[in-house]
Amino acid sequence: MAVAPNQGGDDRLAALNVASDGWVAPARADAFARLVAMGLPTKRDEYWKYTDPSSLAAEAPAPAALYDNGDPPLFEELDRLKVVFVDGVFDADASDDLGLANLEISRLADAADADIHWAQSLYGALESNGQMPVARPLAALNTAMATDGILIRATGAASKPVHFIYNHKSETSDAILHHVIKVEEGADVTIIENGPAAARLNTVMEVDVADRAAFHHVRAQGDDHERRAVTHIFARLATESTFKSFTLTANGVLTRNECIIELTGDDATASVAGAAVGDGVFHHDDTVFITHDALNCESRQVFKKVLRNGAVGVFQGKILVKEGAQKTDGYQISQSLLLDDDSQFLAKPELEIYADDVACSHGSTSGAIDEDALFYLQSRGVPLAQAQDLLVLAFLAEALDEVESDEIADNMRARLERWLTRRSA
């Protein structure tokens, strides 16, 4: 049950103006009505008890200083179609032409005022479905208020990934982006996301994957130390479809990533994975809800977090197997590596099963670096700092293995190695 929003949430709701024309207007109005009924979240809400949402629900974002670590741009050597946003606004000059074989791509800001668009049946629909049984008011806020984003309809196999690049230029920017991805029968598309984005970021990505289609998603979050972000992915999978998402997070005051997946067609497969590395003022929350509502479907949740100097990691993961969803194979693992006594990992794994022919498992562990392994590496001449980094990379390997593309996975490993090197200096 939703509780009354805090004062900051009241102020923000009072300040909202959701006037809109075109095909998005009904979805925006519906989302705003749901938001008012739910109220913005507080720590008294069950799924926010480990994470304080006040800065995400406040009327204005806390300032976030710009930060440049000197690293080369991520994924720069990949052949991809670049879509660039600056503080949540599309930058046409920095972006590639939004044209690619087998993909229909448009901006939400350009398409929203039209009388009709293919995204009309999807915008806000998966987000609305994902509000039960757990309320997700910041996602409803996004649907009501987002004025920019990308709409992609894949009709075949895309020849290269579409890369969303989020640049941060203003210390007080407040970005709300809403993406809609429709993967038609037999089609295949890969979406890459990275960049600090804004002082405060709220994104929703709605993904509809048709029969025998495939959706791949890779995201890197971080760069700015003071940024705050809440992201949502709502996905619906049809027969023999595939969904894979991986997120690497480094730095940031507060990050909450929500992923809500519904497997509605037989023999569908979903994988959600993440690796997070945090040092100091760092709070990272992965909240996942996967519903099995068809035969012979498989889902995987693999999350690893490395924390030190008071950093906090949260994992809330649920597998719901509905009546009749026989032959379900659900796997969930969440683990943390605590590099000191000041950091903490809070986990809430859940299984709810109403079918009798299933194989579901979940596990959660938290511990320190293996002292025997550390001693072994040092005895072979590996310096202490380098030995610790090698063990951290080995710990995160299972999550990184969920990335489909070896080239993209190598990019992620290189980013992790640079992060570890900076903190070992």
Side-chain angles (χ1 to χ4, degrees):
M1 174 181 287
V3 299
N6 57 26
Q7 182 59 47
D10 285 332
D11 292 343
R12 191 172 191 187
L13 286 178
L16 293 181
N17 179 5
V18 295
S20 182
D21 296 320
W23 57 268
V24 297
R28 291 196 193 284
D30 177 69
F32 184 69
R34 289 187 279 108
L35 174 61
V36 171
M38 289 184 283
L40 288 166
T42 75
K43 282 204 69 169
R44 289 179 290 166
D45 292 312
E46 174 67 19
Y47 275 82
W48 285 95
K49 67 180 181 180
Y50 298 134
T51 299
D52 184 357
S54 58
S55 63
L56 299 170
E59 184 177 2
L66 306 182
Y67 174 74
D68 182 4
N69 58 22
D71 284 351
L74 197 58
F75 308 120
E76 191 70 13
E77 71 281 7
L78 294 181
D79 182 20
R80 79 271 194 231
L81 187 149
K82 295 186 297 183
V83 181
V84 181
F85 293 87
V86 178
D87 292 324
V89 179
F90 177 72
D91 185 342
D93 292 336
S95 300
D96 293 333
D97 178 68
L98 300 184
L100 194 64
N102 297 321
L103 294 185
E104 179 184 333
I105 307 175
S106 57
R107 283 181 65 195
L108 175 62
D110 292 337
D113 291 334
D115 292 331
I116 193 169
H117 191 274
W118 64 260
Q120 182 172 356
S121 62
L122 285 179
Y123 184 91
L126 301 188
E127 174 265 306
S128 179
N129 292 342
Q131 296 288 349
M132 293 294 290
V134 178
R136 306 181 193 279
L138 291 175
L141 169 69
N142 180 294
T143 298
M145 298 302 299
T147 56
D148 218 338
I150 296 296
L151 312 175
I152 297 178
R153 178 171 170 260
T155 56
S159 59
K160 55 186 175 183
V162 179
H163 184 190
F164 299 163
I165 301 171
Y166 304 124
N167 292 329
H168 178 196
K169 295 284 183 68
S170 168
E171 294 187 356
T172 57
S173 53
D174 194 11
I176 302 179
L177 292 169
H178 195 114
H179 308 303
V180 178
I181 318 291
K182 182 176 178 63
V183 192
E184 301 281 12
E185 182 173 353
D188 188 324
V189 66
T190 296
I191 304 295
I192 303 173
E193 298 182 279
N194 80 285
R200 181 172 66 180
L201 174 67
N202 180 333
T203 68
V204 164
M205 182 181 291
E206 298 182 281
V207 184
D208 189 40
V209 190
D211 294 350
R212 292 169 292 283
F215 174 80
H216 300 279
H217 174 245
V218 177
R219 174 172 54 185
Q221 300 172 317
D223 296 337
D224 286 11
H225 289 293
E226 298 178 6
R227 64 169 181 80
R228 292 168 171 83
V230 57
T231 76
H232 315 81
I233 298 176
F234 297 90
R236 178 172 60 194
L237 278 62
T239 301
E240 296 179 18
S241 63
T242 300
F243 173 101
K244 297 195 76 170
S245 177
F246 172 83
T247 300
L248 171 65
T249 305
N251 304 334
V253 172
L254 172 62
T255 304
R256 169 140 165 158
N257 296 322
E258 297 195 16
C259 191
I260 302 92
I261 302 173
E262 187 176 12
L263 293 90
T264 63
D266 296 346
D267 302 296
T269 302
S271 168
V272 188
V277 287
D279 189 348
V281 183
F282 174 89
H283 186 107
H284 187 271
D285 180 336
D286 284 302
T287 294
V288 182
F289 198 114
I290 296 181
T291 300
H292 286 260
D293 196 14
L295 295 173
N296 198 40
C297 292
E298 178 183 354
S299 68
R300 291 175 56 83
Q301 301 175 49
V302 180
F303 289 88
K304 302 290 190 83
K305 301 182 194 288
V306 178
L307 308 166
R308 67 179 172 189
N309 294 331
V312 177
V314 176
F315 173 77
Q316 301 180 108
K318 183 164 185 175
I319 300 173
L320 169 62
V321 182
K322 290 191 173 182
E323 186 176 355
Q326 306 293 357
K327 305 295 183 182
T328 287
D329 183 357
Y331 173 76
Q332 179 194 96
I333 187 73
S334 61
Q335 296 177 316
S336 73
L337 188 61
L338 305 180
L339 302 184
D340 55 41
D341 294 333
D342 297 324
S343 301
Q344 52 180 322
F345 177 59
L346 308 168
K348 183 186 177 186
E350 297 179 89
L351 298 177
E352 187 174 346
I353 300 172
Y354 297 98
D356 53 15
D357 186 7
V358 304
C360 289
S361 64
H362 67 100
S364 182
T365 63
S366 185
I369 279 184
D370 187 328
E371 292 296 334
D372 290 339
L374 193 62
F375 175 79
Y376 174 82
L377 289 172
Q378 289 182 274
S379 71
R380 294 301 184 269
V382 180
L384 174 61
Q386 185 179 351
Q388 289 177 326
D389 290 352
L390 288 171
L391 293 174
V392 165
L393 291 171
F395 170 77
L396 295 172
E398 182 182 2
L400 283 162
D401 286 344
E402 295 295 308
V403 179
E404 187 81 7
S405 164
D406 291 340
E407 189 175 13
I408 293 175
D410 288 342
N411 268 259
M412 295 295 195
R413 289 188 185 93
R415 179 182 177 87
L416 277 171
E417 289 170 2
R418 288 194 296 270
W419 186 91
L420 290 167
T421 299
R422 281 196 296 272
R423 276 147 184 79
S424 301

